[in-house]
Amino acid sequence: MATTEIQIIQNVEALNQTIWQIQQKQASIGFVPTMGALHEGHLSLVRASRQQCDVTIVSIFVNPTQFAPNEDLDQYPRPIENDLQLLQKEGVDWVFMPEPSEVYPQGCSTSVNPPAVAQRLEGESRPTHFAGVATVVLKLLNMTQCDVAFFGQKDYQQALVIQHMVRDLNLATKIEVCPIVRDHDGLALSSRNVFLTADERASALCLFRTLNETAAMIAEGETDGRVIMAHMTQSLIEGGVTETDYAVIADARTLELLEDVRRPAVLLVAAKVGDTRLIDNCVIT
Ligand code: AMP
């Protein structure tokens, strides 16, 4: 339990001052970017940061530029009081909670052209998404001057996009990717799970089941990518998803789809259950 009050910062100027003070003490800065509606998945990143770094900054910012006009920006859950309580309990030092106009002031027109790995999968389903993600993450890394930034494997492709951006643009920040945190029955924790009805939540379990069954199939010797992907798609349909965006086996580093399984590979699924779009993945080593 933290003893000091969590400090809330809402503008970039105040953040700059805080960062300057931290740097005077030569303390290392860990940073956890989030969109809020925090759960144990987010908190696992906070704990990793608290373990590795002297000071931890969490951002809560529902980034408008990564949502397409037809997506759920307005409906995105924002239980801010609860989020702050959770972060206080974890002993987080600072929360950065800017308004969109603070991150994108009038006249701001520069953006990141995301790396090639952004074009597949999520990039096909959500063509403008990763440009928004890469731009806001680059801005936040610059604003926080963090030594280490923590991301979840839950958003597998996002973590790759960030890693490639950091490499390609010679950023000094170290990127840590932490394991997926799941509910007791295997459902990957997500801020969007609150949208699921009880029946939909039961159907949503088929994402995890599909990944597990497919990993077992591969462990038993299946190497044909087309057979594997057909199985994944069929398993999701039988599990009751409304619509599948993708259900694939891909090279774990490039996300190139695999006709013959070679390792490391990753199984990735994105599907709608009711109106809620869910993603999950499993690395095959
Ligand atoms: P979000 O608030 O959805 O933008 O997520 C913020 C960070 O938390 C991202 O790096 C996500 O990958 C990570 N995250 C979200 N859900 C989980 C989870 N179930 N396990 C681990 N990390 C997660």
Side-chain angles (χ1 to χ4, degrees), residues 27-31 48-56 147-148 150:
S28 60
I29 301 177
F31 175 52
S49 172
R50 296 249 305 141
Q51 236 172 32
Q52 273 195 47
C53 301
D54 299 324
V55 163
T56 292
D147 298 281
V148 191
F150 295 82

Side-chain angles (χ1 to χ4, degrees), residues 75-240:
Q75 287 81 43
Y76 202 83
R78 291 169 169 84
I80 192 63
E81 287 307 320
N82 191 52
D83 285 353
L84 292 174
Q85 273 176 23
L86 290 173
L87 295 178
Q88 167 85 31
K89 267 198 219 146
E90 292 297 327
V92 167
D93 306 281
W94 280 280
V95 181
F96 181 48
M97 282 186 354
E99 289 295 322
S101 60
E102 188 66 24
V103 178
Y104 302 106
Q106 227 178 4
C108 172
S109 62
T110 307
S111 63
V112 175
N113 184 19
V117 73
Q119 279 163 18
R120 303 170 188 277
L121 306 173
E122 287 295 294
E124 283 167 20
S125 306
R126 308 177 72 191
T128 57
H129 175 65
F130 282 129
V133 170
T135 302
V136 80
V137 170
L138 179 58
K139 283 166 77 76
L140 290 167
L141 296 184
N142 282 331
M143 288 177 198
T144 58
Q145 301 276 304
C146 57
D147 298 281
V148 191
F150 295 82
F151 294 85
Q153 190 203 309
K154 161 78 178 10
D155 296 270
Y156 189 89
Q157 189 176 7
Q158 169 175 281
L160 276 184
V161 167
I162 303 301
Q163 286 171 318
H164 288 199
M165 174 180 78
V166 163
R167 180 199 66 195
D168 295 351
L169 300 183
N170 305 95
L171 306 182
T173 314
K174 184 176 169 215
I175 303 299
E176 281 280 328
V177 182
C178 301
I180 303 177
V181 178
R182 299 180 178 279
D183 227 334
H184 61 94
D185 51 7
L187 182 66
L189 294 183
S190 162
S191 303
R192 290 189 168 97
N193 290 352
V194 296
F195 296 135
L196 298 169
T197 63
D199 283 352
E200 287 169 353
R201 197 192 171 292
S203 298
L205 282 176
C206 76
L207 274 72
F208 183 56
R209 204 167 50 236
T210 297
L211 294 173
N212 273 341
E213 276 174 20
T214 312
M217 215 172 135
I218 295 166
E220 281 161 22
E222 182 59 67
T223 57
D224 186 333
R226 279 163 306 184
V227 171
I228 290 166
M229 293 190 252
H231 172 79
M232 292 171 79
T233 305
Q234 187 58 28
S235 170
L236 290 176
I237 292 169
E238 284 167 12

